[in-house]
Amino acid sequence: MNEQIVILDFGSQYTQVIARRIRECSVYSTILRYDTPAKEIAALKPSGVILSGGPASVYAPKAPMPDKGIFELGVPVLGICYGLQILANFLGGKVERGEKREFGKGLLTVKDNSSVLFKGLPPTFQVWNSHGDKLTKLPTGFLPIAVTENSDYAAIEHRRRRMFGLQFHPEVVHTPRGKELIANFVHDICGCGRHWTMRSYIDQAVEEIRQQVGQECVILGLSGGVDSSVAAALLHKAIGDQLTCIFVNNGLLRGREEKAVQEVFGRHFKIKLLYEDAAREFLAKLKGVTDPERKRKIIGKTFIEVFQDATKRAGKAKFLAQGTLYPDVIESVPIAGNPAAMIKSHHNVGGLPKKMKFKLVEPLKSLFKDEVRQLGLELGLPKEIVFRQPFPGPGLAVRILGEVTPERCRILRDADTIVVEEMKATGWYYKIWQSFAVLLPVRSVGVMGDERTYEYTIAIRAVESQDGMTADWVKLPYDLLEKLSSRIINEVKGVNRCVFDITSKPPGTIEWE
C-alpha cells in the first residue's frame, strides 16, 4: 500500500507538526516545497494534498504561490491558514487584511455538522489562531462550515471537489481536538487506511537507498549517538559491505564509548568500521585553550582534518551518509515570500567542506526523533544506544570549564560514568532528557580521613525537556543525590566536593559552555 499525503510547505513553523499528526494516523506523509510542479506531485500518486500555513500575505507582491495544477489533481485538498488563503486566491475568493488580528486561543462553532471534516467533534471547541489576514469573499462553489468570533469563514468546504480550508491551526496542541479533524481528512475524506508502520518504512527506505546508491560505496561518520547509529544500521541493511563507517575518537568521549561502538557495530552488526584514535591530536590542540567558542572551533576543524584523512583510507566512495532528521532538513524560513528548504550546517558531519565532493545520502530525513528511536529498535539496535541521552558534538570539552587536559578528562569521565550508572540503576536515565557531570575549575578545601585536601568540584546537571529548546531542572530524590555525591567523592580521585545545578533554561543553557 503506497498511500501518502503530500504537504506543500509555505514557510509555516508548524509544517513538521502537520506531518507528525499524519504519521500518528498511521499514514505516510512527505513535505515538498510550495512550488513543486503539479506533475511531480501527481507522479507520487498522493491520496490528498495539504497546503501549510506561512508568514506571507497572498496579496503581497512576492507571496509564495503553488503550481495552479495542484487544484486539478482530482485528490482532496486541505488548506490551513495561509493554505486557505491560497485556495481562495486561486479559486475566485478574496483575502484582505483583517480589522482584528487573531492570535492565540479562539472558540470555533460548527455550522454544518454534516461535514465529514467535523465528524465526531462537538458543536463548539477550542482552536488556535495565528493570522492577520482574513477571507472576505468565498471562492466559487465553497460554503462556510464553521465560524469563530472574528471570522465568518473559519472553515470552508467545496463538497463535490473535496476541497477544504481552515483559518485556524488543527495541527498544534493548542487545538486539542485538532488530531481528530486531521484524522477525518486523512481517513474519511482521502480514504487512507492505517497501513504505515516502521516496518513498512524500513522496506521503503531500503529500496530507496539501493536505487540511489546502486553499486557505489558509502561513507558515514559514526558518533555513537542515536541518529548516526540508526542511519548506519539502516544503510547496512540496505547495502551491506558497500558501507564503511568512520568512528573518530577525539579523546573527549564518555567512558567506554569507543569500546561500545566497536562492539555493537563492528562485532555485532559486522559493519565495516574504521576506528580513528586521534585523542592525542585533539588534546594537544586544546592545550592552554579556555574560551568555549575557540574550543568548539578547534574540535570542529580537527575533526574535519581527521575525517578527511580517514576517507582516503576507506577506499573510493561516491556517497556520504548523514543521520539528518526531518526537522533538520526542511527548516521553514520566516521571511515573506521566502520559505525555503535548507540543511542546517551544524547537522552536517562536522560541517564538512565543499571540496569533499560526495553526494549525500540521508536515510532518516523523513523521520522525527521518536520515530528514529522506534526504527532503531526495529533494526535490532540495543536500548542503550536507541534511548541514549543527547551528547554534545564537542564532547566532554564543553563540560570541562577552563582548559581541557588529559587529567581533567579522566576526572570528568569517571564522574560522568557514575552519574550514568546510578541514573540507569534507579530508572531515572530513561525518564528525563539529560543528566551528566560537569568539572568546575574550582578547587576547595576538604577533609578525607585525617588529611586536608584541595581538589576539584563536580556539578551534577539533570534536566527535563521536549526538544532541548527550553528545559527545567529535575528534582531528583535526595537519596539518589546523596549516593551520586558519595560515590563520586569516594571513587573519583581529584574530587572532594559535589554540587547540584538547579538552573532552568532560560536563563541558563543545558550544557555549561
Side-chain angles (χ1 to χ4, degrees), residues 128-382:
W128 185 260
N129 294 298
S130 179
H131 60 93
D133 295 336
K134 67 186 290 187
L135 183 62
T136 54
K137 179 192 166 197
L138 281 175
T140 313
F142 280 78
L143 293 171
I145 54 173
V147 300
T148 59
E149 303 93 315
N150 193 36
S151 176
D152 293 333
Y153 306 132
I156 62 173
E157 173 183 35
H158 191 307
R159 198 160 291 188
R160 183 179 57 80
R161 293 185 72 183
R162 297 182 299 165
M163 290 189 178
F164 305 81
L166 302 173
Q167 190 61 84
F168 59 93
H169 287 273
E171 70 274 25
V172 300
V173 291
H174 310 297
T175 302
R177 306 295 294 267
K179 281 185 192 179
E180 295 160 70
L181 194 154
I182 289 173
N184 287 342
F185 177 73
V186 168
H187 297 305
D188 297 297
I189 293 165
C190 297
C192 293
R194 292 172 171 79
H195 306 293
W196 189 86
T197 62
M198 199 45 73
R199 175 53 51 192
S200 58
Y201 178 80
I202 291 173
D203 297 339
Q204 180 187 336
V206 162
E207 188 55 39
E208 284 173 7
I209 291 164
R210 286 174 182 164
Q211 279 183 8
Q212 183 186 1
V213 171
Q215 298 302 310
E216 301 290 342
C217 290
V218 180
I219 282 171
L220 180 137
L222 187 62
S223 69
V226 180
D227 304 342
S228 69
S229 296
V230 174
L234 180 59
L235 280 157
H236 186 252
K237 184 176 179 67
I239 57 171
D241 281 350
Q242 286 169 250
L243 172 70
T244 300
C245 290
I246 297 172
F247 178 67
V248 177
N249 181 356
N250 58 10
L252 304 163
L253 304 173
R254 283 180 159 178
R256 300 190 289 275
E257 180 93 338
E258 67 279 11
K259 288 190 177 70
V261 169
Q262 289 178 86
E263 182 65 43
V264 169
F265 294 97
R267 288 190 271 285
H268 177 64
F269 277 95
K270 304 285 190 290
I271 291 176
K272 276 161 67 177
L273 184 64
L274 207 58
Y275 172 63
E276 294 292 308
D277 189 353
R280 281 187 181 177
E281 193 177 332
F282 277 86
L283 291 172
K285 288 185 178 178
L286 287 168
K287 193 173 182 184
V289 179
T290 57
D291 177 68
E293 204 48 43
R294 269 200 69 209
K295 283 187 201 174
R296 287 176 186 274
K297 282 181 176 161
I298 288 166
I299 292 164
K301 186 170 178 288
T302 310
F303 177 84
I304 289 166
E305 290 164 3
V306 172
F307 192 84
Q308 272 184 303
D309 286 345
T311 59
K312 290 168 192 165
R313 285 195 295 284
K316 199 177 177 191
K318 191 175 180 180
F319 292 91
L320 175 72
Q322 293 181 177
T324 320
L325 306 192
Y326 216 17
D328 304 331
V329 176
I330 299 183
E331 184 186 24
S332 298
V333 183
I335 300 170
N338 184 31
M342 298 196 316
I343 294 176
K344 298 178 188 175
S345 61
H346 67 268
H347 284 280
N348 294 340
V349 182
L352 294 169
K354 288 192 174 99
K355 65 181 177 184
M356 289 183 76
K357 292 186 172 71
F358 289 111
K359 288 187 177 177
L360 279 182
V361 183
E362 296 170 307
L364 311 180
K365 68 180 178 184
S366 57
L367 297 180
F368 292 87
K369 191 74 165 188
D370 59 330
E371 292 173 316
V372 170
R373 293 190 198 277
Q374 207 184 326
L375 175 59
L377 292 175
E378 281 280 352
L379 289 165
L381 283 170

Side-chain angles (χ1 to χ4, degrees), residues 371-404:
E371 292 173 316
V372 170
R373 293 190 198 277
Q374 207 184 326
L375 175 59
L377 292 175
E378 281 280 352
L379 289 165
L381 283 170
K383 182 183 175 185
E384 289 70 30
I385 285 179
V386 172
F387 290 102
R388 73 171 308 183
Q389 294 176 356
F391 188 63
L396 299 180
V398 292
R399 294 179 181 173
I400 295 171
L401 273 61
E403 186 183 359
V404 178

